[in-house]
Amino acid sequence: MEQPVRGSAVSTALRGRSAVVGLAELKPSKTPEGRTPLGLITEASLAALDDAGLKPSDVDGIVVCPAMMQYSMLWPSVVAEHLGLAPTYLEFVDLGGATSCAMVARAATAIANGQASTVLCVNGDTWDPKGMYLKPPPLFSPMRDFTMPYGAAGANADYAMAARLHMHRYGTTSRQLAKIAADQRASAQQNPLALFHGKPLTIDDVLASAMVCDPLHLLEVVMPCTGAEAIVLTSAERVKDRPHRPAWVLGFGEHLEPDPFQRPDFLVTPAVESARQAFGMAGLAPKDVTLAEIYDCYTSAVLIELEDAGFCAKGEGGPFLESHDLTYAGDFPLNTNGGMLSFGQPGLGGGMTLVVEGARQVMGRAGARQVKRNDVAFVHGNGGTFTEECSLIFASDR
Amino acid sequence: MSDQMPEFPRPLPQVEGDAAPFWQAIAAGRIELPRCGACAKWIFYPRPFCPSCLSRDVAWHAVAPTGRVYTCAIVRKPTNPWFFGKTPYVYAIVELENGVRLPTQIVGCDPEQVTIGAAVEAVFERVDDTVTLLHFRPRAAAG
């Protein structure tokens, strides 16, 4: 198939029109521990509003995403009603791993358009492995008839096939991929909320973990969990009244390409376009980025997104990973809260932990793992198998 | 998994609907795919229109039952319970000679020996009276 037409001019009209002024994140857990998605969403939302110094009556926009374990129609209004909100803007974003970045993009757009002045974006879900087998959330696509009968193994097999093709074509090694997990785990040791806080990890540990889907090892695969995050964005006019230094939304972009295996090259993803849009809107380039929060459902996802976002050339991701210190204290701080690989992945919007961390770093609130050069954060979400992707740029100055 | 887990059915395709001719051909030991009569592009997964040019002029054509491994993974920990205990197996994308890439399994060989680029040929695995699945195996004496 031909590549979709690209190259449209990127508008800068939405640049710097809103900023993150509050955030909250709950400590994740491996099991539900009696909590519910709506309960988690409520807890995170109230904490984020407290953090922003706002009341529910100050919020006129809300963006939510599916809770897999409490899947329901009318979810935006269910959540808004529960929180006592009466918004003028409600949105539901359902883009898999691109969801959280796209939620912020929707909120920023609504604010720039004047549809809302202060928007709450919230993700929360429980995780119960047995529940997933006994009562999985609805998921339909005609394509599944051509994958599930062959043992597609969820997303594991697709990301393993991406790793194998990259290794075959470019000589990338398992050791290079494992370094992502190990360096992120080092950062997680400075994040008491991370599921794997207190459990350091070496590259050799990753390589010694069980082979789940060859060439991907267990410790290269994300762990779904119970948890929630919320962030509050407000308009440029209202930022100055808030208690924290803001994280400005300078740019965002998204792109979908259907069936990743029919496009010319499986390893060239929609991140090329989503990042081009985000950088174009921001008037910045990859070289300006001082920290990156890149969707790490698997190590191979990070490898390929780094290339397609423009941090290194296609095929050079392996040597790039090897030659940079990826920890919060390193020369290319990546997934500084431990990433989902070490923090955990709460729900479909699990990437929200990366969005929250990107904003938190730019706001200078990351504590022991604060990145010194924190002026520009690149945050990226990847849904499906490199199918729908969304990029965001937060910055400390407008 | 817990011993309270019920039996899980084998995941099988719906052999009716837009893709019916595909599964009927597989059951008959052939690979057939839809192609756009207007822009000549192959269409996968099967749809009664062309997602490239939106033409409704779509016809089914037999294609050679051979191709090459585009990429693959050796599944050791499946997620669908039906595949528990049936590991390891090779989940793969095979590129047919017309460029269409199909998800499949590579069978009839040591999983460790499957390589990207390897020449493969179709194996039609009959499941029951209505469903046959399309697997591939290494092509003997082929490069």
Side-chain angles (χ1 to χ4, degrees):
Chain A
M1 282 189 189
E2 285 175 1
Q3 294 281 43
V5 176
R6 290 175 176 168
S8 56
V10 175
S11 167
T12 56
L14 302 178
R15 180 185 189 279
R17 303 285 300 278
S18 61
V20 177
V21 292
L23 50 84
E25 181 161 57
L26 307 186
K27 185 171 175 58
S29 56
K30 291 184 181 179
T31 57
E33 297 182 351
R35 297 188 285 182
T36 64
L38 188 58
L40 292 159
I41 285 168
T42 303
E43 197 181 330
S45 296
L46 297 182
L49 290 176
D50 284 348
D51 186 58
L54 295 168
K55 302 182 298 297
S57 57
D58 297 318
V59 175
D60 53 7
I62 182 166
V63 186
V64 298
C65 61
M68 288 186 289
M69 295 294 112
Q70 203 161 50
Y71 202 86
S72 173
M73 293 170 60
L74 307 176
W75 195 233
S77 50
V78 169
V79 174
E81 180 176 82
H82 195 70
L83 294 174
L85 304 181
T88 55
Y89 175 82
L90 298 96
E91 180 64 291
F92 179 75
V93 180
D94 187 8
L95 294 173
T99 297
S100 298
C101 288
M103 289 167 75
V104 172
R106 301 292 181 284
T109 304
I111 291 169
N113 287 341
Q115 292 167 279
S117 59
T118 300
V119 180
L120 169 71
C121 300
V122 58
N123 161 65
D125 213 340
T126 53
W127 176 255
D128 176 1
K130 209 159 72 179
M132 274 300 282
Y133 286 116
L134 297 177
K135 208 174 74 175
L139 178 59
F140 167 76
S141 154
M143 186 61 199
R144 288 170 66 79
D145 273 352
F146 295 91
T147 58
M148 299 308 285
Y150 301 108
N156 292 355
D158 285 355
Y159 285 91
M161 292 195 296
R164 184 174 293 248
L165 184 56
H166 205 280
M167 290 172 172
H168 174 83
R169 203 189 278 172
Y170 304 116
T172 310
T173 65
S174 284
R175 180 161 284 273
Q176 290 166 339
L177 285 174
K179 184 168 181 292
I180 297 170
D183 279 5
Q184 290 185 192
R185 185 63 65 89
S187 293
Q189 300 320 302
Q190 303 299 331
N191 183 3
L193 292 184
L195 272 183
F196 294 97
H197 177 70
K199 294 175 183 166
L201 190 66
T202 66
I203 291 174
D204 288 328
D205 293 335
V206 178
L207 298 177
S209 66
M211 194 63 94
V212 170
C213 231
D214 195 342
L216 289 182
H217 303 80
L218 180 65
L219 295 176
E220 299 181 77
V221 179
V222 78
M223 175 181 273
C225 66
T226 293
E229 304 91 3
I231 66 170
V232 180
L233 289 92
T234 199
S235 62
E237 297 72 30
R238 293 174 189 240
V239 161
K240 62 180 187 309
D241 304 325
R242 305 275 54 87
H244 301 293
R245 173 183 171 180
W248 291 98
V249 181
L250 286 201
F252 47 88
E254 70 190 54
H255 187 52
L256 175 137
E257 287 179 7
D259 190 349
F261 295 108
Q262 304 307 325
R263 65 189 178 216
D265 187 346
F266 175 40
L267 299 184
V268 177
T269 75
V272 173
E273 174 63 8
S274 69
R276 186 190 73 85
Q277 290 180 9
F279 282 120
M281 188 188 293
L284 297 172
K287 66 173 170 48
D288 301 314
V289 169
T290 61
L291 64 112
E293 310 289 343
I294 294 189
Y295 201 79
D296 59 330
C297 46
Y298 302 87
T299 52
S300 54
V302 178
L303 167 79
I304 290 161
E305 292 159 19
L306 275 172
E307 293 175 345
D308 285 354
F311 293 102
C312 61
K314 179 53 68 184
E316 292 176 8
F320 180 89
L321 293 165
E322 208 165 49
S323 62
H324 290 282
D325 178 349
L326 310 172
T327 69
Y328 70 92
D331 59 329
F332 190 85
L334 173 70
N335 296 346
T336 46
N337 66 339
M340 296 191 300
L341 285 169
S342 281
F343 178 86
Q345 181 191 40
L348 269 184
M352 190 62 95
T353 191
L354 300 174
V355 172
V356 165
E357 176 70 2
R360 186 161 40 205
Q361 288 283 357
V362 167
M363 294 164 95
R365 302 173 63 195
R369 63 178 188 282
Q370 179 62 50
V371 172
K372 287 202 175 66
R373 286 185 58 224
N374 67 335
D375 23 333
V376 180
F378 177 82
V379 187
H380 185 78
N382 157 34
T385 307
F386 304 116
T387 314
E388 60 260 7
E389 307 205 34
C390 186
S391 306
L392 281 180
I393 295 168
F394 289 134
S396 52
D397 292 306
R398 191 141 65 117
Chain B
M1 299 308 294
S2 153
D3 52 11
Q4 297 159 17
M5 297 293 266
E7 283 291 307
F8 285 90
R10 181 172 190 173
L12 291 172
Q14 294 289 326
V15 297
E16 293 166 356
D18 293 340
F22 177 87
W23 296 110
Q24 286 161 7
I26 298 301
R30 298 187 308 274
I31 303 176
E32 290 187 11
L33 289 171
R35 188 177 200 181
C36 177
C39 74
K41 287 199 172 64
W42 293 96
I43 299 166
F44 187 81
Y45 56 85
R47 270 155 277 190
F49 64 94
C50 172
S52 292
C53 76
L54 301 188
S55 168
R56 276 72 157 176
D57 177 15
V58 171
W60 289 79
H61 301 270
V63 300
T66 53
R68 289 184 184 273
V69 175
Y70 179 70
T71 184
C72 62
I74 305 172
V75 180
R76 298 189 184 279
K77 310 271 184 201
T79 51
N80 185 306
W82 189 84
F83 289 93
F84 293 171
K86 299 180 178 72
T87 56
Y89 60 86
V90 179
Y91 183 74
I93 303 296
V94 162
E95 184 173 294
L96 301 175
E97 281 153 35
N98 67 356
V100 170
R101 300 189 191 127
L102 302 176
T104 186
Q105 275 190 22
I106 308 297
V107 299
C109 62
D110 175 359
E112 299 282 356
Q113 300 307 312
V114 177
T115 54
I116 289 173
V120 292
E121 61 190 12
V123 178
F124 300 93
E125 191 203 291
R126 186 179 180 279
V127 176
D128 57 31
D129 285 347
T130 51
V131 180
T132 296
L133 295 179
L134 173 60
H135 291 160
F136 287 82
R137 68 183 172 210
R139 211 182 321 164

